[in-house]
Amino acid sequence: MKIKTVGVVGSGTMGSGIAQACAVSGIQVMMVDINQEALDKGTQAIANSLERLLSKEKITLEDKTRALARIQTSTQYTAFDDCDLVIEAATENLGLKIKILDLLKPHLKPTAILASNTSSISITQLAQVTQRPEQFIGMHFFNPVPMMALVEVIRGLQTSDSTHDAVIELSKALGKSPITVKNSPGFVVNRILVPMINEALFVLGEGVASAQDIDTGMKLGCNHPIGPLALADMVGLDVCLAVMEVYFNQFSDSKYRAAPLLREMVAAGHLGRKTGRGIYTY
C-alpha cells in the first residue's frame, strides 16, 4: 500500500512537526485539532520552521510554498475520510488517546492505517479500541520532528505485516531512519535512555562526582551531545520519575527503582527547565 495522504490528529509540537515532515516530502496532509486557534498556532509553527530552513538554505522558497500548500486543516474528523494513514499525536494520556481513537472509527476508509505517536502507551492496548487492530501501529517520532532522523515503528500483537511494511516505506519516504520495535514499555530508546538518566541521579546522589563532571564525563567519554543530567532537566524530572515508575510496575524488576534524589527533587518542585530549577538553575 502506497501512502499518499496523511491525517494528523493534533497540531501541537509533535503534530505540526509530523505534518511538516510529510508536506516537505510531497505528501498531502490533513491536520485536525479541537479549535481554529490551535490549528492557526500549529500552522504558524510550521511556517516559522520552514522559514528557518529557508534562511539556512536547506530548502528553497518554492519548497516552502509547496509544502505549506500541501497542508489543509479542519476541526472535524470527517476531514480524514480520504486519508491513507491517520496519525494520532495528542497529549500522552491514555484516556484521551482512547477517546480520540473511538471518535475516529466512523471517519476512516476501510483500507486506512491508524497510528499513534505515543512514546509510552501500549500499542496492543490502544489497538483494541480501533475496530482495525491489524491496521494499527505505533509511529514514535522524536522532537523536533523535522530534524530528528529516527522513527520507532512499534508493532502491536495484532499488527499485520502489510501495515508494518507500508509504515516503514512511508518513514523512509519522509527521509527518516525507521527501526522496528516490539510493543514493550518504553519501546527501545526511552527504555535505555531514562534508566541511564536515573543512574546518573544515583551517581550524583551518592556524591561520586558533581553534576557538571558527570555530564562532562558522558559527553567526552561516550560522545553524547548532552549530559544525562542536563537532559533530565530538559525532559522534566517529573516525567523521568513517572517513566521509571511505569517500568518498575510493569517489569516488577528492582533495577528500575527510581533514584532517591530524583524523588526528592520532584517532591521539592525542582523539575528542570520548566520550573527554572532542577539539577541546574536556569
Side-chain angles (χ1 to χ4, degrees):
M1 176 186 176
K2 183 79 171 176
I3 295 170
K4 297 178 181 177
T5 307
V6 171
V8 181
V9 182
S11 58
T13 301
M14 296 304 292
S16 63
I18 294 167
Q20 177 182 327
C22 291
V24 167
S25 301
I27 293 167
Q28 296 295 320
V29 179
M30 176 58 70
M31 189 166 64
V32 171
D33 213 322
I34 54 173
N35 56 52
Q36 193 59 47
E37 183 182 0
L39 289 167
D40 290 344
K41 186 177 178 182
T43 303
Q44 188 59 54
I46 294 169
N48 293 344
S49 177
L50 291 172
E51 186 60 36
R52 286 193 296 272
L53 291 173
L54 177 61
S55 68
K56 294 176 182 176
E57 299 183 346
K58 298 285 183 68
I59 60 172
T60 65
L61 180 58
E62 186 179 14
D63 291 334
K64 176 188 173 183
T65 303
R66 286 183 174 179
L68 288 172
R70 292 186 187 108
I71 301 172
Q72 295 179 279
T73 63
S74 176
T75 57
Q76 303 297 320
Y77 286 162
T78 51
F80 290 137
D81 60 359
D82 195 41
C83 291
D84 299 316
L85 166 71
V86 175
I87 304 171
E88 171 277 310
T91 306
E92 195 73 353
N93 176 289
L94 176 61
L96 176 61
K97 289 185 184 294
I98 287 175
K99 180 181 178 182
I100 289 170
L101 294 176
D102 192 50
L103 290 171
L104 282 171
K105 286 177 186 175
H107 305 300
L108 304 179
K109 61 184 181 182
T111 56
I113 293 171
L114 188 53
S116 176
N117 181 52
T118 181
S119 60
S120 64
I121 297 171
S122 168
I123 297 302
T124 299
Q125 182 180 5
L126 291 175
Q128 282 300 95
V129 302
T130 66
Q131 291 185 340
R132 57 180 72 211
E134 299 84 4
Q135 292 158 252
F136 187 75
I137 198 164
M139 282 189 82
H140 180 210
F141 291 83
F142 288 76
N143 189 30
V145 177
M147 308 305 295
M148 298 291 279
L150 181 66
V151 179
E152 287 183 318
V153 177
I154 304 115
R155 298 189 67 147
L157 192 64
Q158 316 94 318
T159 305
S160 70
D161 289 342
S162 59
T163 295
H164 166 264
D165 294 347
V167 169
I168 289 287
E169 184 181 341
L170 172 68
S171 300
K172 291 177 179 177
L174 299 182
K176 304 301 184 187
S177 298
I179 62 171
T180 299
V181 181
K182 186 175 74 172
N183 186 58
S184 181
F187 311 135
V188 167
V189 175
N190 287 335
R191 168 82 176 270
I192 296 167
L193 177 65
V194 182
M196 182 192 73
I197 290 172
N198 189 57
E199 192 64 28
L201 278 146
F202 268 116
V203 171
L204 180 63
E206 292 166 13
V208 175
S210 68
Q212 190 66 58
D213 284 349
I214 291 167
D215 279 350
T216 299
M218 291 303 290
K219 285 192 290 183
L220 300 183
C222 295
N223 205 27
H224 288 190
I226 185 173
L229 297 174
L231 182 57
D233 278 351
M234 285 181 63
V235 171
L237 297 178
D238 53 334
V239 175
C240 294
L241 177 58
V243 171
M244 289 305 299
E245 288 180 332
V246 167
Y247 295 169
F248 185 79
N249 291 331
Q250 295 203 13
F251 290 114
S252 299
D253 191 330
S254 62
K255 75 178 181 181
Y256 294 112
R257 70 195 185 284
L261 179 60
L262 177 57
R263 292 190 181 280
E264 190 78 357
M265 297 289 283
V266 172
H270 299 163
L271 308 182
R273 287 181 177 269
K274 60 187 172 186
T275 59
R277 183 175 177 186
I279 306 300
Y280 300 99
T281 302
Y282 301 90

